[in-house]
Short mmCIF file of all heavy atoms in Angstrom, two decimals:
data_model
loop_
_atom_site.label_atom_id
_atom_site.label_comp_id
_atom_site.label_asym_id
_atom_site.label_seq_id
_atom_site.Cartn_x
_atom_site.Cartn_y
_atom_site.Cartn_z
N ARG A 1 118.98 50.87 308.10
CA ARG A 1 118.59 51.02 309.49
C ARG A 1 117.47 50.06 309.87
O ARG A 1 117.22 49.87 311.04
CB ARG A 1 118.18 52.46 309.75
CG ARG A 1 119.38 53.37 309.62
CD ARG A 1 119.07 54.78 309.93
NE ARG A 1 120.26 55.53 309.53
CZ ARG A 1 120.27 56.71 309.03
NH1 ARG A 1 119.14 57.33 308.84
NH2 ARG A 1 121.39 57.29 308.70
N THR A 2 116.83 49.52 308.87
CA THR A 2 115.80 48.53 309.15
C THR A 2 116.42 47.33 309.87
O THR A 2 117.49 46.87 309.47
CB THR A 2 115.14 48.06 307.84
OG1 THR A 2 114.64 49.21 307.17
CG2 THR A 2 114.02 47.09 308.09
N HIS A 3 115.81 46.90 310.92
CA HIS A 3 116.26 45.73 311.68
C HIS A 3 117.53 46.02 312.49
O HIS A 3 118.18 45.10 312.98
CB HIS A 3 116.55 44.52 310.78
CG HIS A 3 115.44 44.13 309.89
ND1 HIS A 3 114.62 43.07 310.16
CD2 HIS A 3 115.00 44.65 308.72
CE1 HIS A 3 113.73 42.94 309.20
NE2 HIS A 3 113.94 43.89 308.32
N GLN A 4 117.94 47.27 312.65
CA GLN A 4 119.23 47.59 313.24
C GLN A 4 119.40 47.00 314.64
O GLN A 4 120.42 46.36 314.93
CB GLN A 4 119.43 49.11 313.30
CG GLN A 4 120.84 49.50 313.72
CD GLN A 4 121.08 50.99 313.53
OE1 GLN A 4 120.16 51.75 313.28
NE2 GLN A 4 122.32 51.39 313.66
N ILE A 5 118.43 47.17 315.52
CA ILE A 5 118.55 46.61 316.87
C ILE A 5 118.62 45.09 316.80
O ILE A 5 119.44 44.47 317.47
CB ILE A 5 117.36 47.05 317.75
CG1 ILE A 5 117.47 48.55 318.05
CG2 ILE A 5 117.31 46.24 319.04
CD1 ILE A 5 116.26 49.12 318.75
N ARG A 6 117.78 44.50 315.96
CA ARG A 6 117.76 43.05 315.84
C ARG A 6 119.09 42.52 315.34
O ARG A 6 119.62 41.53 315.86
CB ARG A 6 116.63 42.65 314.90
CG ARG A 6 115.26 43.00 315.43
CD ARG A 6 114.19 42.93 314.38
NE ARG A 6 114.07 41.59 313.84
CZ ARG A 6 113.41 41.31 312.74
NH1 ARG A 6 112.82 42.27 312.04
NH2 ARG A 6 113.32 40.08 312.31
N LEU A 7 119.67 43.16 314.34
CA LEU A 7 120.94 42.73 313.77
C LEU A 7 122.08 42.88 314.78
O LEU A 7 122.89 41.96 314.96
CB LEU A 7 121.25 43.53 312.51
CG LEU A 7 122.56 43.23 311.81
CD1 LEU A 7 122.60 41.77 311.36
CD2 LEU A 7 122.76 44.15 310.64
N HIS A 8 122.14 44.01 315.45
CA HIS A 8 123.21 44.24 316.43
C HIS A 8 123.12 43.24 317.58
O HIS A 8 124.15 42.69 318.01
CB HIS A 8 123.17 45.67 316.96
CG HIS A 8 123.74 46.67 316.02
ND1 HIS A 8 125.08 46.93 315.93
CD2 HIS A 8 123.13 47.47 315.12
CE1 HIS A 8 125.28 47.86 315.01
NE2 HIS A 8 124.12 48.19 314.49
N MET A 9 121.94 43.03 318.10
CA MET A 9 121.80 42.09 319.21
C MET A 9 122.20 40.68 318.78
O MET A 9 122.88 39.97 319.53
CB MET A 9 120.37 42.11 319.76
CG MET A 9 120.00 43.41 320.45
SD MET A 9 121.10 43.86 321.81
CE MET A 9 120.76 42.56 322.96
N SER A 10 121.81 40.28 317.59
CA SER A 10 122.18 38.96 317.09
C SER A 10 123.70 38.84 316.90
O SER A 10 124.30 37.82 317.26
CB SER A 10 121.46 38.68 315.78
OG SER A 10 121.80 37.41 315.29
N SER A 11 124.32 39.89 316.37
CA SER A 11 125.77 39.84 316.15
C SER A 11 126.55 39.78 317.46
O SER A 11 127.68 39.30 317.49
CB SER A 11 126.23 41.03 315.31
OG SER A 11 126.17 42.23 316.05
N LEU A 12 125.93 40.24 318.54
CA LEU A 12 126.55 40.16 319.87
C LEU A 12 126.28 38.82 320.55
O LEU A 12 126.73 38.60 321.67
CB LEU A 12 126.04 41.30 320.75
CG LEU A 12 126.47 42.71 320.34
CD1 LEU A 12 125.71 43.75 321.15
CD2 LEU A 12 127.97 42.88 320.51
N GLY A 13 125.51 37.96 319.87
CA GLY A 13 125.20 36.66 320.44
C GLY A 13 123.97 36.67 321.33
O GLY A 13 123.75 35.73 322.11
N HIS A 14 123.14 37.71 321.22
CA HIS A 14 121.95 37.84 322.05
C HIS A 14 120.74 38.19 321.17
O HIS A 14 120.19 39.29 321.29
CB HIS A 14 122.13 38.90 323.13
CG HIS A 14 123.26 38.62 324.05
ND1 HIS A 14 123.19 37.64 325.02
CD2 HIS A 14 124.48 39.16 324.15
CE1 HIS A 14 124.33 37.61 325.68
NE2 HIS A 14 125.13 38.52 325.16
N PRO A 15 120.32 37.29 320.29
CA PRO A 15 119.17 37.61 319.44
C PRO A 15 117.90 37.78 320.27
O PRO A 15 117.79 37.24 321.37
CB PRO A 15 119.07 36.40 318.51
CG PRO A 15 119.69 35.30 319.28
CD PRO A 15 120.78 35.93 320.10
N LEU A 16 116.98 38.56 319.73
CA LEU A 16 115.72 38.79 320.43
C LEU A 16 114.90 37.51 320.49
O LEU A 16 114.83 36.75 319.52
CB LEU A 16 114.91 39.86 319.71
CG LEU A 16 115.57 41.21 319.51
CD1 LEU A 16 114.63 42.13 318.76
CD2 LEU A 16 115.98 41.81 320.84
N VAL A 17 114.25 37.31 321.61
CA VAL A 17 113.34 36.17 321.75
C VAL A 17 112.25 36.30 320.69
O VAL A 17 111.68 37.38 320.51
CB VAL A 17 112.72 36.13 323.17
CG1 VAL A 17 111.63 35.08 323.26
CG2 VAL A 17 113.80 35.88 324.21
N GLY A 18 112.00 35.25 319.98
CA GLY A 18 110.96 35.22 318.97
C GLY A 18 111.35 35.80 317.62
O GLY A 18 110.51 35.94 316.74
N ASP A 19 112.61 36.13 317.42
CA ASP A 19 113.05 36.73 316.16
C ASP A 19 113.57 35.63 315.23
O ASP A 19 114.73 35.25 315.27
CB ASP A 19 114.14 37.75 316.42
CG ASP A 19 114.49 38.58 315.18
OD1 ASP A 19 114.05 38.20 314.08
OD2 ASP A 19 115.21 39.58 315.34
N HIS A 20 112.69 35.13 314.37
CA HIS A 20 113.04 34.01 313.48
C HIS A 20 114.09 34.39 312.45
O HIS A 20 114.89 33.58 312.03
CB HIS A 20 111.79 33.47 312.78
CG HIS A 20 111.21 34.41 311.77
ND1 HIS A 20 110.39 35.46 312.13
CD2 HIS A 20 111.34 34.47 310.44
CE1 HIS A 20 110.04 36.13 311.05
NE2 HIS A 20 110.61 35.55 310.00
N LEU A 21 114.14 35.67 312.04
CA LEU A 21 115.07 36.09 311.00
C LEU A 21 116.51 36.12 311.50
O LEU A 21 117.44 35.80 310.76
CB LEU A 21 114.67 37.47 310.48
CG LEU A 21 115.48 38.02 309.31
CD1 LEU A 21 115.40 37.09 308.10
CD2 LEU A 21 114.99 39.41 308.94
N TYR A 22 116.73 36.48 312.77
CA TYR A 22 118.08 36.64 313.29
C TYR A 22 118.41 35.61 314.38
O TYR A 22 119.30 35.85 315.20
CB TYR A 22 118.29 38.06 313.81
CG TYR A 22 118.31 39.08 312.69
CD1 TYR A 22 117.20 39.86 312.43
CD2 TYR A 22 119.43 39.23 311.89
CE1 TYR A 22 117.21 40.78 311.40
CE2 TYR A 22 119.45 40.15 310.85
CZ TYR A 22 118.34 40.92 310.62
OH TYR A 22 118.35 41.82 309.59
N GLY A 23 117.73 34.49 314.38
CA GLY A 23 118.15 33.38 315.22
C GLY A 23 117.70 33.39 316.66
O GLY A 23 118.30 32.71 317.50
N GLY A 24 116.67 34.14 316.98
CA GLY A 24 116.18 34.16 318.35
C GLY A 24 115.41 32.90 318.70
O GLY A 24 114.87 32.23 317.82
N PRO A 25 115.37 32.56 319.98
CA PRO A 25 114.63 31.36 320.40
C PRO A 25 113.13 31.51 320.09
O PRO A 25 112.56 32.58 320.28
CB PRO A 25 114.88 31.28 321.90
CG PRO A 25 115.50 32.55 322.31
CD PRO A 25 115.99 33.25 321.09
N LEU A 26 112.54 30.43 319.60
CA LEU A 26 111.14 30.45 319.17
C LEU A 26 110.26 29.49 319.95
O LEU A 26 109.07 29.41 319.66
CB LEU A 26 111.07 30.09 317.67
CG LEU A 26 111.83 30.98 316.71
CD1 LEU A 26 111.85 30.36 315.32
CD2 LEU A 26 111.21 32.37 316.67
N ASP A 27 110.80 28.77 320.90
CA ASP A 27 110.05 27.68 321.50
C ASP A 27 108.89 28.12 322.39
O ASP A 27 107.97 27.36 322.61
CB ASP A 27 110.98 26.74 322.28
CG ASP A 27 111.78 27.45 323.36
OD1 ASP A 27 112.00 28.66 323.24
OD2 ASP A 27 112.19 26.78 324.31
N LYS A 28 108.88 29.33 322.91
CA LYS A 28 107.83 29.73 323.82
C LYS A 28 107.00 30.93 323.33
O LYS A 28 106.15 31.42 324.05
CB LYS A 28 108.41 30.09 325.18
CG LYS A 28 109.03 28.90 325.90
CD LYS A 28 109.46 29.30 327.29
CE LYS A 28 110.13 28.17 328.00
NZ LYS A 28 109.24 27.15 328.49
N VAL A 29 107.27 31.39 322.11
CA VAL A 29 106.62 32.62 321.67
C VAL A 29 106.46 32.63 320.15
O VAL A 29 107.23 32.01 319.43
CB VAL A 29 107.44 33.85 322.16
CG1 VAL A 29 108.80 33.88 321.51
CG2 VAL A 29 106.72 35.15 321.96
N ASP A 30 105.44 33.35 319.68
CA ASP A 30 105.20 33.45 318.23
C ASP A 30 105.40 34.87 317.70
O ASP A 30 104.97 35.20 316.62
CB ASP A 30 103.80 32.96 317.91
CG ASP A 30 102.72 33.81 318.58
OD1 ASP A 30 103.06 34.72 319.36
OD2 ASP A 30 101.53 33.55 318.32
N HIS A 31 106.04 35.72 318.50
CA HIS A 31 106.30 37.10 318.08
C HIS A 31 107.61 37.58 318.69
O HIS A 31 108.10 37.01 319.65
CB HIS A 31 105.16 38.02 318.50
CG HIS A 31 104.99 38.12 319.99
ND1 HIS A 31 104.36 37.14 320.73
CD2 HIS A 31 105.39 39.06 320.88
CE1 HIS A 31 104.38 37.49 322.02
NE2 HIS A 31 104.99 38.66 322.13
N GLN A 32 108.16 38.65 318.14
CA GLN A 32 109.39 39.23 318.70
C GLN A 32 109.07 39.88 320.04
O GLN A 32 108.03 40.50 320.20
CB GLN A 32 109.93 40.32 317.78
CG GLN A 32 110.43 39.82 316.49
CD GLN A 32 110.84 40.97 315.59
OE1 GLN A 32 111.21 42.03 316.05
NE2 GLN A 32 110.73 40.75 314.30
N VAL A 33 109.99 39.73 320.96
CA VAL A 33 109.81 40.35 322.26
C VAL A 33 110.87 41.45 322.40
O VAL A 33 112.01 41.19 322.75
CB VAL A 33 109.92 39.31 323.39
CG1 VAL A 33 109.70 39.97 324.74
CG2 VAL A 33 108.91 38.20 323.18
N LEU A 34 110.47 42.64 322.06
CA LEU A 34 111.31 43.82 322.19
C LEU A 34 110.45 44.90 322.81
O LEU A 34 109.38 45.24 322.29
CB LEU A 34 111.82 44.27 320.81
CG LEU A 34 112.66 45.54 320.78
CD1 LEU A 34 113.95 45.36 321.59
CD2 LEU A 34 113.00 45.90 319.35
N HIS A 35 110.87 45.43 323.95
CA HIS A 35 110.03 46.35 324.70
C HIS A 35 110.87 47.45 325.33
O HIS A 35 111.89 47.17 325.95
CB HIS A 35 109.29 45.57 325.80
CG HIS A 35 108.39 46.43 326.63
ND1 HIS A 35 107.14 46.79 326.22
CD2 HIS A 35 108.57 47.00 327.84
CE1 HIS A 35 106.58 47.55 327.14
NE2 HIS A 35 107.43 47.69 328.14
N ALA A 36 110.47 48.68 325.16
CA ALA A 36 111.09 49.81 325.86
C ALA A 36 110.17 50.17 327.02
O ALA A 36 109.06 50.63 326.81
CB ALA A 36 111.26 50.99 324.93
N SER A 37 110.62 49.93 328.23
CA SER A 37 109.77 50.20 329.39
C SER A 37 109.75 51.67 329.75
O SER A 37 108.83 52.15 330.41
CB SER A 37 110.22 49.38 330.59
OG SER A 37 111.54 49.73 330.95
N GLU A 38 110.77 52.40 329.31
CA GLU A 38 110.86 53.82 329.66
C GLU A 38 111.53 54.58 328.53
O GLU A 38 112.47 54.10 327.91
CB GLU A 38 111.69 53.95 330.93
CG GLU A 38 111.67 55.30 331.57
CD GLU A 38 112.40 55.28 332.89
OE1 GLU A 38 112.11 54.41 333.72
OE2 GLU A 38 113.28 56.14 333.07
N LEU A 39 111.03 55.77 328.26
CA LEU A 39 111.59 56.63 327.23
C LEU A 39 111.51 58.07 327.71
O LEU A 39 110.47 58.48 328.24
CB LEU A 39 110.81 56.47 325.92
CG LEU A 39 111.16 57.40 324.77
CD1 LEU A 39 112.54 57.07 324.22
CD2 LEU A 39 110.11 57.31 323.68
N SER A 40 112.57 58.80 327.56
CA SER A 40 112.53 60.22 327.90
C SER A 40 113.37 61.01 326.90
O SER A 40 114.36 60.50 326.38
CB SER A 40 113.01 60.46 329.33
OG SER A 40 114.36 60.10 329.47
N PHE A 41 112.95 62.22 326.62
CA PHE A 41 113.68 63.10 325.72
C PHE A 41 113.23 64.53 325.96
O PHE A 41 112.16 64.77 326.54
CB PHE A 41 113.47 62.72 324.25
CG PHE A 41 112.04 62.80 323.79
CD1 PHE A 41 111.54 63.98 323.23
CD2 PHE A 41 111.19 61.72 323.91
CE1 PHE A 41 110.22 64.06 322.80
CE2 PHE A 41 109.88 61.78 323.48
CZ PHE A 41 109.39 62.95 322.93
N THR A 42 114.03 65.48 325.54
CA THR A 42 113.67 66.89 325.62
C THR A 42 112.99 67.28 324.33
O THR A 42 113.55 67.10 323.24
CB THR A 42 114.92 67.75 325.86
OG1 THR A 42 115.55 67.33 327.06
CG2 THR A 42 114.55 69.22 325.96
N ASP A 43 111.78 67.79 324.44
CA ASP A 43 111.02 68.23 323.28
C ASP A 43 111.79 69.40 322.64
O ASP A 43 112.06 70.40 323.30
CB ASP A 43 109.63 68.68 323.72
CG ASP A 43 108.75 69.09 322.55
OD1 ASP A 43 109.20 69.88 321.70
OD2 ASP A 43 107.60 68.63 322.51
N PRO A 44 112.14 69.27 321.36
CA PRO A 44 112.95 70.33 320.72
C PRO A 44 112.21 71.66 320.55
O PRO A 44 112.84 72.69 320.37
CB PRO A 44 113.33 69.73 319.37
CG PRO A 44 112.30 68.70 319.11
CD PRO A 44 111.87 68.17 320.45
N PHE A 45 110.89 71.63 320.61
CA PHE A 45 110.11 72.87 320.42
C PHE A 45 109.85 73.58 321.74
O PHE A 45 109.94 74.80 321.82
CB PHE A 45 108.80 72.57 319.70
CG PHE A 45 109.01 71.96 318.34
CD1 PHE A 45 108.80 70.61 318.14
CD2 PHE A 45 109.43 72.75 317.28
CE1 PHE A 45 109.02 70.05 316.89
CE2 PHE A 45 109.65 72.18 316.03
CZ PHE A 45 109.44 70.84 315.83
N THR A 46 109.50 72.81 322.78
CA THR A 46 109.16 73.42 324.07
C THR A 46 110.29 73.37 325.08
O THR A 46 110.20 74.00 326.13
CB THR A 46 107.94 72.71 324.68
OG1 THR A 46 108.31 71.37 325.02
CG2 THR A 46 106.76 72.73 323.73
N GLN A 47 111.32 72.58 324.79
CA GLN A 47 112.45 72.35 325.70
C GLN A 47 112.01 71.69 327.01
O GLN A 47 112.74 71.72 327.99
CB GLN A 47 113.20 73.67 325.99
CG GLN A 47 113.77 74.33 324.76
CD GLN A 47 114.67 73.40 323.94
OE1 GLN A 47 115.56 72.79 324.47
NE2 GLN A 47 114.39 73.29 322.65
N GLN A 48 110.84 71.08 327.02
CA GLN A 48 110.36 70.37 328.20
C GLN A 48 110.75 68.91 328.11
O GLN A 48 110.74 68.31 327.02
CB GLN A 48 108.84 70.47 328.33
CG GLN A 48 108.35 71.86 328.64
CD GLN A 48 106.84 71.89 328.79
OE1 GLN A 48 106.13 71.05 328.24
NE2 GLN A 48 106.35 72.87 329.53
N LEU A 49 111.08 68.34 329.26
CA LEU A 49 111.40 66.92 329.33
C LEU A 49 110.11 66.12 329.21
O LEU A 49 109.14 66.36 329.94
CB LEU A 49 112.09 66.59 330.65
CG LEU A 49 112.48 65.13 330.85
CD1 LEU A 49 113.52 64.70 329.82
CD2 LEU A 49 113.00 64.91 332.26
N LYS A 50 110.09 65.20 328.29
CA LYS A 50 108.95 64.30 328.10
C LYS A 50 109.37 62.92 328.57
O LYS A 50 110.43 62.42 328.19
CB LYS A 50 108.54 64.22 326.62
CG LYS A 50 108.15 65.54 326.01
CD LYS A 50 106.86 66.04 326.59
CE LYS A 50 106.42 67.31 325.90
NZ LYS A 50 105.13 67.77 326.36
N GLN A 51 108.55 62.29 329.39
CA GLN A 51 108.84 60.97 329.91
C GLN A 51 107.63 60.07 329.72
O GLN A 51 106.50 60.48 329.96
CB GLN A 51 109.19 61.03 331.40
CG GLN A 51 110.47 61.80 331.67
CD GLN A 51 110.80 61.85 333.13
OE1 GLN A 51 110.01 62.31 333.94
NE2 GLN A 51 111.99 61.36 333.47
N PHE A 52 107.91 58.83 329.29
CA PHE A 52 106.86 57.86 329.05
C PHE A 52 107.26 56.53 329.68
O PHE A 52 108.42 56.14 329.62
CB PHE A 52 106.65 57.66 327.54
CG PHE A 52 106.34 58.95 326.81
CD1 PHE A 52 107.37 59.70 326.27
CD2 PHE A 52 105.05 59.38 326.70
CE1 PHE A 52 107.10 60.89 325.61
CE2 PHE A 52 104.76 60.57 326.03
CZ PHE A 52 105.79 61.33 325.49
N ASN A 53 106.31 55.85 330.28
CA ASN A 53 106.52 54.53 330.87
C ASN A 53 105.50 53.57 330.28
O ASN A 53 104.34 53.93 330.11
CB ASN A 53 106.36 54.57 332.38
CG ASN A 53 107.45 55.39 333.03
OD1 ASN A 53 108.61 55.06 332.93
ND2 ASN A 53 107.07 56.48 333.67
N ALA A 54 105.96 52.37 329.98
CA ALA A 54 105.07 51.36 329.40
C ALA A 54 105.39 50.00 330.04
O ALA A 54 106.38 49.37 329.66
CB ALA A 54 105.25 51.29 327.90
N PRO A 55 104.60 49.59 331.01
CA PRO A 55 104.87 48.29 331.62
C PRO A 55 104.65 47.16 330.62
O PRO A 55 103.92 47.32 329.63
CB PRO A 55 103.86 48.21 332.77
CG PRO A 55 102.80 49.20 332.43
CD PRO A 55 103.43 50.24 331.56
N LEU A 56 105.30 46.03 330.88
CA LEU A 56 105.08 44.85 330.04
C LEU A 56 103.64 44.39 330.16
O LEU A 56 103.04 44.49 331.23
CB LEU A 56 105.97 43.69 330.51
CG LEU A 56 107.43 43.74 330.13
CD1 LEU A 56 108.18 42.61 330.81
CD2 LEU A 56 107.62 43.65 328.64
N ASP A 57 103.11 43.88 329.06
CA ASP A 57 101.78 43.29 329.18
C ASP A 57 101.92 41.93 329.88
O ASP A 57 103.02 41.40 330.04
CB ASP A 57 101.07 43.18 327.84
CG ASP A 57 101.72 42.24 326.85
OD1 ASP A 57 102.34 41.25 327.27
OD2 ASP A 57 101.61 42.50 325.65
N GLN A 58 100.82 41.40 330.33
CA GLN A 58 100.83 40.19 331.15
C GLN A 58 101.46 39.00 330.44
O GLN A 58 102.22 38.23 331.04
CB GLN A 58 99.41 39.85 331.59
CG GLN A 58 99.34 38.73 332.60
CD GLN A 58 97.94 38.51 333.11
OE1 GLN A 58 96.98 39.12 332.66
NE2 GLN A 58 97.81 37.61 334.08
N SER A 59 101.20 38.85 329.14
CA SER A 59 101.74 37.68 328.43
C SER A 59 103.27 37.77 328.30
O SER A 59 103.96 36.76 328.43
CB SER A 59 101.10 37.53 327.05
OG SER A 59 101.42 38.63 326.23
N ASP A 60 103.81 38.96 328.05
CA ASP A 60 105.26 39.10 327.95
C ASP A 60 105.92 38.95 329.31
O ASP A 60 107.01 38.39 329.43
CB ASP A 60 105.65 40.42 327.30
CG ASP A 60 105.42 40.42 325.79
OD1 ASP A 60 105.24 39.34 325.21
OD2 ASP A 60 105.42 41.52 325.20
N GLN A 61 105.27 39.43 330.37
CA GLN A 61 105.81 39.24 331.72
C GLN A 61 105.84 37.75 332.07
O GLN A 61 106.82 37.26 332.64
CB GLN A 61 105.00 40.00 332.76
CG GLN A 61 105.55 39.91 334.15
CD GLN A 61 106.95 40.48 334.27
OE1 GLN A 61 107.17 41.63 333.95
NE2 GLN A 61 107.90 39.68 334.72
N GLN A 62 104.80 37.02 331.69
CA GLN A 62 104.76 35.59 331.96
C GLN A 62 105.85 34.88 331.17
O GLN A 62 106.48 33.95 331.68
CB GLN A 62 103.38 35.00 331.60
CG GLN A 62 103.24 33.54 331.95
CD GLN A 62 103.43 33.29 333.43
OE1 GLN A 62 102.81 33.93 334.26
NE2 GLN A 62 104.29 32.34 333.78
N LEU A 63 106.10 35.30 329.94
CA LEU A 63 107.17 34.72 329.14
C LEU A 63 108.52 34.91 329.83
O LEU A 63 109.31 33.96 329.94
CB LEU A 63 107.21 35.35 327.75
CG LEU A 63 108.40 34.94 326.88
CD1 LEU A 63 108.34 33.45 326.56
CD2 LEU A 63 108.42 35.78 325.62
N LEU A 64 108.80 36.12 330.32
CA LEU A 64 110.05 36.34 331.04
C LEU A 64 110.14 35.45 332.27
O LEU A 64 111.21 34.88 332.56
CB LEU A 64 110.18 37.81 331.44
CG LEU A 64 110.39 38.80 330.31
CD1 LEU A 64 110.45 40.22 330.86
CD2 LEU A 64 111.63 38.48 329.52
N ASN A 65 109.05 35.31 332.98
CA ASN A 65 109.05 34.41 334.15
C ASN A 65 109.34 32.98 333.73
O ASN A 65 110.15 32.29 334.39
CB ASN A 65 107.70 34.48 334.87
CG ASN A 65 107.43 35.83 335.50
OD1 ASN A 65 108.34 36.64 335.71
ND2 ASN A 65 106.17 36.11 335.79
N ASP A 66 108.72 32.52 332.65
CA ASP A 66 108.93 31.16 332.16
C ASP A 66 110.37 30.94 331.74
O ASP A 66 110.91 29.83 331.88
CB ASP A 66 108.01 30.86 330.98
CG ASP A 66 106.54 30.78 331.36
OD1 ASP A 66 106.24 30.71 332.58
OD2 ASP A 66 105.71 30.81 330.45
N LEU A 67 111.01 31.99 331.21
CA LEU A 67 112.41 31.88 330.79
C LEU A 67 113.40 32.08 331.94
O LEU A 67 114.60 31.97 331.76
CB LEU A 67 112.70 32.91 329.68
CG LEU A 67 111.97 32.70 328.36
CD1 LEU A 67 112.20 33.88 327.44
CD2 LEU A 67 112.41 31.40 327.70
N GLY A 68 112.87 32.38 333.11
CA GLY A 68 113.71 32.59 334.28
C GLY A 68 114.42 33.93 334.27
O GLY A 68 115.47 34.08 334.88
N LEU A 69 113.83 34.89 333.62
CA LEU A 69 114.43 36.24 333.53
C LEU A 69 113.66 37.24 334.38
O LEU A 69 112.53 37.12 334.62
CB LEU A 69 114.45 36.72 332.08
CG LEU A 69 115.19 35.82 331.11
CD1 LEU A 69 114.98 36.31 329.69
CD2 LEU A 69 116.67 35.82 331.44
#
């Protein structure tokens, strides 16, 4: 299961930006760019819906802008 997202994305022809191991583009970044902006799940103990949001940091947002995404 290690590297599962990275491997699947690469096998689909869409490696992660900055992923040197699975062939991602490296020209504009020195780290992998993988970000979950939103996550939600039902807590198995309380049965309450938990929701989390995490905006991109400024450097990753600028990278997406530079890549035209």
Side-chain angles (χ1 to χ4, degrees):
R1 293 183 189 145
T2 304
H3 306 258
Q4 189 170 10
I5 290 172
R6 296 165 62 194
L7 178 61
H8 282 276
M9 292 303 294
S10 181
S11 71
L12 293 170
H14 301 286
L16 303 179
V17 172
D19 189 348
H20 69 279
L21 185 59
Y22 292 101
L26 301 170
D27 57 335
K28 294 186 183 284
V29 65
D30 62 355
H31 64 281
Q32 292 175 28
V33 181
L34 177 62
H35 180 81
S37 62
E38 191 174 309
L39 174 69
S40 64
F41 61 91
T42 302
D43 183 311
F45 300 104
T46 66
Q47 301 305 309
Q48 292 181 335
L49 180 64
K50 301 291 185 176
Q51 295 180 303
F52 303 91
N53 293 298
L56 283 173
D57 65 31
Q58 188 174 5
S59 64
D60 285 345
Q61 183 61 58
Q62 184 60 51
L63 173 64
L64 291 178
N65 293 343
D66 292 347
L67 294 172
L69 302 173

